[in-house]
Amino acid sequence: MGDKAQTHPGAAGRAQAADHPQSVRNVVLVGHSGSGKTTLVEALALTAGAVNRAGRVEDGGTVSDYDEIEHRQQRSVQLSLVPVEWDGIKVNLLDTPGYADFVGELRAGLRAADAALFVVSAADGVDGSTRMVWEECAAVGMPRAIVITHLEAARADFEEMTRICAEAFGADDPDAVLPLYLPLHGPQAPDGHAPVTGLIGLLSQKLFDYSTGERKESEPGEDQLPLIEEARNRLIEGIISESEDETLMDRYLGGEPVDVKTLIDDLERAVARGVFFPVLAAAPAAEGARQGLGTVELLELVTRGFPTPLEHETVRVTTIDGEPRELKPCDPDAPLVAEVVKTSSDPYVGRLSLIRVFSGTLRADQTVHVSGHGLADRGHEDHDVDERIGALSTPFGKQQRPVSHVIAGDLACVAKLSRAETGDTLSAKDDPLLMEPWQMPDPLLPLAIQAHSKPDEDKLSQGLARLVAEDPTMRLEQNQDTHQVVLWCLGEAHADVALERLRSRYGVQVDVVPHKVSLRETFATKSAGRGRHVKQSGGHGQFAICEIEVEPLPGGSGIEFVDKVVGGAVPRQFIPSVEKGVRAQAAKGVAAGHPLIDVRVTLLDGKAHSVDSSDAAFQTAGALALREAAAGAKIHLLEPVAEVSVLVGDDYVGSVMSDLSGRRGRLLGTEQTPGGRTLIRAEVPEIEIGRYAVDLRSMTHGTARFSRRYARHEPMPAQIAERVREEARKAS
């Protein structure tokens, strides 16, 4: 990191299994869509000697983005791992999608990593969602650095972007977000833009020229040193202020020179502790070149400044019964605890599970215990089974390089685990353990689907099961009220990818249909009904007459059945039959085909025949009586109402509240939260928030979050209820 040149990258790029946690760095790349994360990963791999100039692995395959859906959409939609080696250190680069719909992939990358590189485009700046991820990392003390890309853009300004980053990421201490290098510009082009051709190290005061495609070190000219003096002094003061040597600042301010080695050592410790966040610049290599600008400096930062897995905070582990279990941090000789970070389907090797080993050593051909992750409410099967580990490999594009074992702190792929899903824990079969699951966002955009044809119908359930096994941010719902299959997603792009994967991977073609909410019906007024079921057609006839009274009850009461028959007008054995018929009709609905709730049905009188009365006859009479009562009463259509909580930046509070009002929402209150945000709570009919996940993102530029929970059913406004009834009549 201290401007040290790499002397022998050579075959180092062929990263294999690590032999000790000390020689591993797990780094997740974070940034908005289009910031250049994937391009940066390819540039780092190229510099490390793992790929050829075409951006391909030396023995074939692409570095990343090998998913055909990503090629079609021209953006990353899933987490990918690219391991490289630099200076004897294995660096696991975790490339995450920048689009908000795939935040589940980002969360998985954060779980697997020990440090984060925030990639910021010099042309686009810092967006709100990137700031929110920075805050998440800050909350858990994850070390971070910032990489500014797209320096070739006409309006790119490294110094200005560094200032913006300090404002966005250094709210508590802007002097903790400072550049380690300043860009050097080449001759000005006809359009007035001077390309960045090299860097000058602020600590070493050395020049690093990349203009030839190879990093060349030289001494700066006398006229260049004054240009960096102010930035250098500020960097030194920033490093010293975070130094564990409390006397260093006094000595520095007293005029005592501080040698560069001491500064570099303090810088590396401050970065690893997550209290100093260096800013670097990087760009891909030009055609025919081997090293991209700033890639050597970035690899030095990662290998020398970022923490090892030994410094990762120990994840909470329990036994299957929930008893806490203490484990040594990242000990290859401790009991096995590993986690499935991602599950995917590879067209060449089938199902692949990306694993991070947190404790112990995972070996090929080993039998392990798979502990389910408690996401049964999202359609994921909860399970505890034993599975045999097949081939272990290190991924690199389409290539899978076999390894015999994976130690604590490292990542690798396991092929063909049939039951393990994303988020599951792998442990020793004779000592099963369970890791605390990481937090996943709730999918809040419903996608109602149905099979396109009979062959698709036969394959649909299996395809959906595989889909949710790969992605815990999806929730599968079989709605018993609306009889719809609903796939809950994070947004439209997430839904598009789900449909494409169903079609291309699992051969299932589906149609998207309008999503229905679970409506209810209830009586608004008291009413009476008489059910008469009398038929004679030879042999035993059917005879049953019952008279009922129906009255509304408070919300949440359900259906109450009361027997007030006197004198045996309805024989005792047939009273349960009347109740059964009433409840069956209530389940079908009495007005628009939605279940009836919150009423008391009182059986008052009736008639029976000694020969022709039966259980079936009185069930029919009970249903007829309820329908007649409904015909003479005012029926309310009830809609589900959700309590919605929106966490939004103060700049958008007004527009969000106005939008909620336009959705028939009732404001419950607001609450100020740290970071210049407001929590808005409101009750909103569910029929009005079907696409709220999409609309809120658009309204707030992706900076707001919301949650929802069912509150109750309540009467729908008359004009809307009539429209729903009319649609029901047309459908029937």
Side-chain angles (χ1 to χ4, degrees), residues 686-708:
E686 288 189 8
I687 202 170
E688 301 286 352
I689 54 174
R691 289 182 52 81
Y692 193 58
V694 177
D695 298 338
L696 179 66
R697 182 180 300 162
S698 175
M699 193 188 325
T700 64
H701 301 283
T703 60
R705 299 173 182 171
F706 85 102
S707 62
R708 54 184 279 183

Side-chain angles (χ1 to χ4, degrees), residues 216-250:
K216 295 182 179 179
E217 179 182 330
S218 62
E219 297 293 330
E222 289 295 325
D223 58 332
Q224 292 175 309
L225 289 179
L227 300 178
I228 69 168
E229 183 177 0
E230 181 181 348
R232 185 174 192 268
N233 290 339
R234 190 178 176 196
L235 174 62
I236 292 173
E237 290 176 11
I239 294 171
I240 292 175
S241 66
E242 301 296 344
S243 174
E244 295 176 341
D245 183 352
E246 297 179 358
T247 68
L248 193 57
M249 179 62 79
D250 292 336

Side-chain angles (χ1 to χ4, degrees), residues 279-403:
V279 182
L280 296 91
E287 186 65 37
R290 187 183 155 280
Q291 292 179 332
L293 182 138
T295 53
V296 170
E297 288 75 16
L298 193 50
L299 286 166
E300 288 177 355
L301 168 70
V302 167
T303 54
R304 298 176 59 187
F306 278 174
T308 74
L310 292 167
E311 299 164 76
H312 191 286
E313 183 178 346
T314 304
V315 181
R316 183 173 177 267
V317 177
T318 66
T319 65
I320 300 300
D321 298 327
E323 293 294 323
R325 173 68 70 84
E326 292 294 329
L327 293 175
K328 291 182 180 179
C330 202
D331 182 357
D333 298 321
L336 175 66
V337 178
E339 190 168 35
V340 180
V341 176
K342 177 173 176 56
T343 309
S344 60
S345 296
D346 186 276
Y348 301 97
V349 298
R351 192 169 181 176
L352 276 177
S353 301
L354 178 60
I355 308 291
R356 159 125 189 199
V357 181
F358 286 89
S359 174
T361 300
L362 183 66
R363 303 183 186 280
D365 299 324
Q366 177 182 2
T367 298
V368 300
H369 185 80
V370 179
S371 298
H373 42 70
L375 288 175
D377 61 330
R378 295 193 179 185
H380 299 251
E381 181 185 5
D382 212 0
H383 48 267
D384 284 287
V385 297
D386 289 343
E387 283 208 66
R388 179 177 168 274
I389 298 295
L392 289 173
S393 59
T394 298
F396 208 87
K398 292 180 181 177
Q399 303 300 310
Q400 294 293 328
R401 298 171 179 171
V403 294

Side-chain angles (χ1 to χ4, degrees), residues 519-522 590-594 633-638 716-732:
L519 301 179
R520 299 286 187 268
E521 299 170 358
T522 196
V590 294
H594 304 290
K634 182 179 181 181
I635 303 297
H636 273 159
L637 202 57
L638 304 178
M716 181 180 281
Q719 68 274 19
I720 299 177
E722 183 55 38
R723 188 173 72 236
V724 172
R725 290 191 182 99
E726 182 61 30
E727 290 173 354
R729 283 192 290 269
K730 289 180 180 178
S732 61

Side-chain angles (χ1 to χ4, degrees), residues 120-337:
V120 176
S121 168
D124 301 322
V126 182
D127 69 340
S129 59
T130 303
R131 296 186 194 205
M132 292 168 72
V133 178
W134 181 277
E135 291 170 6
E136 286 186 31
C137 293
V140 297
M142 177 177 277
R144 286 146 281 157
I146 301 155
V147 186
I148 296 178
T149 59
H150 295 164
L151 294 171
E152 73 283 358
R155 61 182 185 277
D157 186 330
F158 179 82
E159 288 77 9
E160 174 64 12
M161 192 52 59
T162 300
R163 185 192 64 78
I164 291 172
C165 289
E167 284 185 1
F169 302 139
D172 296 330
D173 183 7
D175 286 334
V177 180
L178 295 170
L180 300 185
Y181 304 85
L182 292 183
L184 294 172
H185 295 271
Q188 195 173 72
D191 62 1
H193 178 66
V196 177
T197 58
L199 302 169
I200 184 167
L202 294 180
L203 293 183
S204 66
Q205 301 185 88
K206 302 286 187 182
L207 294 185
F208 304 100
D209 185 5
Y210 282 88
S211 61
T212 63
E214 295 285 339
R215 183 180 190 257
K216 295 182 179 179
E217 179 182 330
S218 62
E219 297 293 330
E222 289 295 325
D223 58 332
Q224 292 175 309
L225 289 179
L227 300 178
I228 69 168
E229 183 177 0
E230 181 181 348
R232 185 174 192 268
N233 290 339
R234 190 178 176 196
L235 174 62
I236 292 173
E237 290 176 11
I239 294 171
I240 292 175
S241 66
E242 301 296 344
S243 174
E244 295 176 341
D245 183 352
E246 297 179 358
T247 68
L248 193 57
M249 179 62 79
D250 292 336
R251 287 153 46 199
Y252 173 72
L253 294 177
E256 181 179 328
V258 181
D259 66 274
V260 172
K261 183 181 184 307
T262 298
L263 290 172
I264 291 174
D265 290 344
D266 279 344
L267 172 62
E268 291 171 356
R269 283 191 289 267
V271 171
R273 283 166 38 223
V275 296
F276 189 85
F277 315 105
V279 182
L280 296 91
E287 186 65 37
R290 187 183 155 280
Q291 292 179 332
L293 182 138
T295 53
V296 170
E297 288 75 16
L298 193 50
L299 286 166
E300 288 177 355
L301 168 70
V302 167
T303 54
R304 298 176 59 187
F306 278 174
T308 74
L310 292 167
E311 299 164 76
H312 191 286
E313 183 178 346
T314 304
V315 181
R316 183 173 177 267
V317 177
T318 66
T319 65
I320 300 300
D321 298 327
E323 293 294 323
R325 173 68 70 84
E326 292 294 329
L327 293 175
K328 291 182 180 179
C330 202
D331 182 357
D333 298 321
L336 175 66
V337 178

